[in-house]
Amino acid sequence: MTDQSTDGMDLGPGMGMEGTLLSVMGIVVKEAAPERIVATMPVKGNTQPYGLLHGGASCVLAESLGSIGSALHAAPYGKVAVGVDINATHHRAVRDGLVTGVATPIYLGRTTTSYEVVITDDRDKRVCTARITCQLIQAPPGS
């Protein structure tokens, strides 16, 4: 079943977004393939007490994009992706608008994947740079 938060995009088996953290945070996937994943997220509702985009929200966006790309890469091998490492550097503050994350692979293997995720603001200024590594494991029965 395809979820509304992906603008009608089918992300493959087991990749529904309804009721997930992505849906709660307003993340909308615009493009998804193992080679490139793009999504937007509103700043509003994802801020820390000072009114700035929460660094954890940037990490959620980054991990989501890297996980989606990894899952799309893993599917032909009968595997699923699970995050095992993420790091992020926050470059500048954002108070409003949308941020856009673009994930591109650093490494696409049979047991691990790594993605670089660049998050920018409405002015195309870099807000955050993250790296996520996923382990590809055998898909559980029924997935």
Side-chain angles (χ1 to χ4, degrees):
M1 178 171 134
T2 303
D3 185 273
Q4 295 297 324
S5 67
T6 62
D7 279 351
M9 184 178 303
D10 183 7
L11 297 178
M15 294 293 286
M17 299 299 148
E18 188 173 340
T20 67
L21 185 57
L22 278 78
S23 177
V24 171
M25 295 183 72
I27 296 171
V28 177
V29 178
K30 302 290 188 178
E31 182 181 330
E35 300 78 22
R36 180 178 157 93
I37 309 89
V38 180
T40 60
M41 180 179 70
V43 173
K44 184 176 182 177
N46 293 313
T47 60
Q48 39 90 313
Y50 300 118
L52 305 174
L53 177 64
H54 195 293
S58 294
C59 288
V60 168
L61 178 58
E63 183 155 354
S64 298
L65 297 183
S67 293
I68 289 168
S70 295
L72 292 170
H73 171 73
Y77 300 108
K79 295 184 175 184
V80 295
V82 293
V84 295
D85 182 64
I86 187 166
N87 68 59
T89 301
H90 307 289
H91 305 293
R92 72 177 60 242
V94 182
R95 291 187 178 277
D96 53 31
L98 287 176
V99 291
T100 300
V102 178
T104 55
I106 298 167
Y107 175 76
L108 296 175
R110 295 193 78 155
T111 58
T112 62
T113 59
S114 292
Y115 281 82
E116 178 184 56
V117 183
V118 175
I119 300 172
T120 57
D121 64 14
D122 287 335
R123 299 176 303 147
D124 205 31
K125 299 286 187 180
R126 191 178 291 225
V127 173
C128 176
T129 304
R131 189 192 72 230
I132 172 174
T133 299
C134 288
Q135 183 176 1
L136 307 184
I137 61 172
Q138 198 59 43
S143 64

